[in-house]
Amino acid sequence: MKNKILVTGGAGYIGSHTCIALHEAGYDIVVYDNLSNSSREAINRVSTLIGQSIEFIKGDTRDAEMLKQIFVAHQFFAVIHFAGLKAVGESVAKPLLYYNNNVSGSITLLEVMAEYNVKNLIFSSSATVYGDPETLPIDENSKRSCTNPYGQSKLAVEHILEDLSVSDQSWNLISLRYFNPVGSHPSGQIGEDPNDIPNNLMPYISQVAVGKLEKLSIFGNDYPTVDGTGVRDFIHVTDLAQGHVSALNYLEQQASSKSSSDTTSSVGFLPINLGTGKGTSVLELVSTFAKVSKQPIPYQFVARRAGDVASCYASADKAKALLGWQAKLSITDMCQDTWHWQSMNPNGYNET
Ligand code: NAD
Ligand code: UD1
């Protein structure tokens, strides 16, 4: 059995897919999630898919006492920290909730990790930390700036991690900056299950295709892009999940290459983009989805959405060079797997 990993937010969209990838790679996992934006059913389905029951603990990252009990009971090699709230609009309406949940939750987790001397962390950051990019593709040295509390909370945690790595060089802190995660596990058993009307493009398209929503509003057709609509770097969630396994392998290699008396870190704070490196426009995604699902996707053009950028896609060179990871799946795969999940589970995890 390989190392044991604590997965915060492991019942969520990206976390549940990563649990499968971790299990397949031989890791022993414990999931910690308050289920504020997810369902116990996701964990049940992951357990069925991997053929063994996942250890799940319902709890909040801001609850230090509960975290301590878990660190006493388990010897973790690392923490993968997905737990966080992620809706940009809600973060503007409820900034204190977002800073409390995302920033205070991360600080509490880091404090408990320090107390139990678990100093390997993989943090879920976002391409949102790049704001409106000055150059494309975006590499990890690009300027960071955010305009909404959600993005600020990710940036704040990155700054905390940087400061921590300076203060104590035994920390190994990888910040994975995800571009636009979409798609589902090919089984169609787990996927993205937004609570209300989706804010993001892919779940919106799939709910139009399945007939739950009438038509897609495309936010702007006058951007300086290939067809006037926004361009993003969509990445299949199973590729993204694999990126976490590669990051973990990297931390293990670094740990094993150090002598036992060497307490200084060779990793420190390490930001890495997880994207495909390719941009796809909103209209291109809509047309691929319609083709794959054989469903009409009615749409209308409306005004630009405040805070949106014209184009955003990654330079994925650092992930390839350091982690040996690169995305493999295409936009067609992403649409196919999203449609598989959506058509098999029109009401998500809520089967009624
Ligand atoms: P998600 O909402 O599906 O998963 C997050 C999980 O964390 C949920 O299960 C939720 O219940 C849990 N959670 C939230 N606050 C918690 C807390 N205080 N204590 C314990 N559990 C808590 O979201 P996701 O799409 O899987 O995203 C995972 C992470 O990746 C988030 O941190 C998100 O900000 C980040 N991210 C997501 C995207 C994206 O497009 N999905 C893009 C960039 C970054
Ligand atoms: C959004 C968030 C970002 C967050 C990411 C993942 C904003 C401004 N940005 O990124 O902080 O990290 O989600 O959660 O909210 N679109 C439509 N119609 C729709 C929905 C989207 O045309 O109904 C367009 C958008 O204008 C954009 C593209 O589709 O051009 C992608 O949008 P979305 O899926 O929301 O992702 P981002 O805006 O890239």
Side-chain angles (χ1 to χ4, degrees), residues 182-193:
V182 296
S184 306
H185 189 264
S187 65
Q189 289 299 311
I190 59 169
E192 188 168 15
D193 183 18

Side-chain angles (χ1 to χ4, degrees), residues 96-128:
L96 295 179
L97 173 67
Y98 271 67
Y99 286 115
N100 187 296
N101 195 81
N102 294 3
V103 183
S104 300
S106 299
I107 293 173
T108 304
L109 174 68
L110 289 162
E111 284 171 344
V112 175
M113 288 175 69
E115 190 174 333
Y116 291 89
N117 202 29
V118 177
K119 293 190 170 174
N120 297 315
L121 177 85
I122 297 174
F123 172 64
S124 296
S125 188
S126 167
T128 199

Side-chain angles (χ1 to χ4, degrees), residues 119 163-171 263 265:
K119 293 190 170 174
D163 291 344
L164 195 55
S165 73
V166 171
S167 74
D168 173 352
Q169 294 181 11
S170 61
W171 283 97
T263 54
S265 157

Side-chain angles (χ1 to χ4, degrees), residues 17-329:
H17 288 82
T18 304
C19 285
I20 294 179
L22 291 169
H23 172 81
E24 284 170 352
Y27 290 99
D28 194 5
I29 54 179
V30 175
V31 169
Y32 187 72
D33 197 305
N34 66 6
L35 300 181
S36 59
N37 194 40
S38 52
S39 156
R40 184 72 175 78
E41 178 61 13
I43 294 295
N44 297 341
R45 294 196 187 182
V46 170
S47 297
T48 305
L49 285 168
I50 66 175
Q52 100 183 32
S53 177
I54 286 210
E55 178 154 6
F56 173 74
I57 299 159
K58 186 173 176 196
D60 196 291
T61 48
R62 292 161 293 183
D63 186 343
E65 291 316 310
M66 186 141 185
L67 282 172
K68 285 179 191 176
Q69 284 174 27
I70 296 167
F71 277 75
V72 167
H74 300 275
Q75 187 79 49
F76 294 117
F77 169 74
V79 177
I80 305 186
H81 180 33
F82 293 106
L85 296 173
K86 62 167 182 176
V88 173
E90 186 186 50
S91 80
V92 174
K94 299 176 182 171
L96 295 179
L97 173 67
Y98 271 67
Y99 286 115
N100 187 296
N101 195 81
N102 294 3
V103 183
S104 300
S106 299
I107 293 173
T108 304
L109 174 68
L110 289 162
E111 284 171 344
V112 175
M113 288 175 69
E115 190 174 333
Y116 291 89
N117 202 29
V118 177
K119 293 190 170 174
N120 297 315
L121 177 85
I122 297 174
F123 172 64
S124 296
S125 188
S126 167
T128 199
V129 300
Y130 296 119
D132 198 352
E134 282 169 1
T135 51
L136 291 165
I138 306 171
D139 72 29
E140 289 81 354
N141 298 320
S142 305
K143 198 169 89 299
R144 288 174 289 169
S145 73
C146 290
T147 52
N148 60 70
Y150 165 70
Q152 294 286 14
S153 75
K154 290 288 163 192
L155 199 47
V157 175
E158 285 208 351
H159 287 311
I160 290 166
L161 298 180
E162 279 173 278
D163 291 344
L164 195 55
S165 73
V166 171
S167 74
D168 173 352
Q169 294 181 11
S170 61
W171 283 97
N172 303 297
L173 305 160
I174 299 187
S175 185
L176 295 178
R177 295 177 180 155
Y178 313 151
F179 278 66
N180 287 60
V182 296
S184 306
H185 189 264
S187 65
Q189 289 299 311
I190 59 169
E192 188 168 15
D193 183 18
N195 273 336
D196 296 312
I197 296 179
N199 299 308
N200 297 117
L201 180 62
M202 185 65 115
Y204 205 108
I205 292 176
S206 65
Q207 292 198 10
V208 171
V210 84
K212 284 182 77 178
L213 295 170
E214 195 191 328
K215 67 169 123 154
L216 172 72
S217 291
I218 296 183
F219 301 138
N221 62 345
D222 57 352
Y223 284 109
T225 60
V226 59
D227 54 24
T229 65
V231 165
R232 295 293 183 273
D233 186 342
F234 298 99
I235 173 168
H236 198 297
V237 68
T238 61
D239 273 335
L240 195 70
Q242 211 50 52
H244 293 75
V245 174
S246 301
L248 212 43
N249 291 163
Y250 181 79
L251 289 177
E252 287 174 331
Q253 282 159 19
Q254 297 299 319
S256 66
S257 65
K258 283 195 311 187
S259 69
S260 53
S261 57
D262 178 7
T263 54
T264 59
S265 157
S266 20
V267 176
F269 172 74
L270 182 61
I272 301 183
N273 289 343
L274 291 186
T276 65
K278 288 188 214 92
T280 300
S281 77
V282 172
L283 278 177
E284 286 166 345
L285 191 69
V286 169
S287 115
T288 307
F289 200 99
K291 202 158 124 197
V292 160
S293 65
K294 302 188 178 62
Q295 303 298 318
I297 316 284
Y299 63 80
Q300 61 182 349
F301 292 117
V302 299
R304 292 180 178 191
R305 179 172 67 179
D308 273 357
V309 301
S311 294
C312 174
Y313 52 92
S315 158
D317 294 349
K318 191 171 175 186
K320 189 171 180 200
L322 284 186
L323 309 181
W325 171 92
Q326 72 188 117
K328 296 193 177 82
L329 298 170

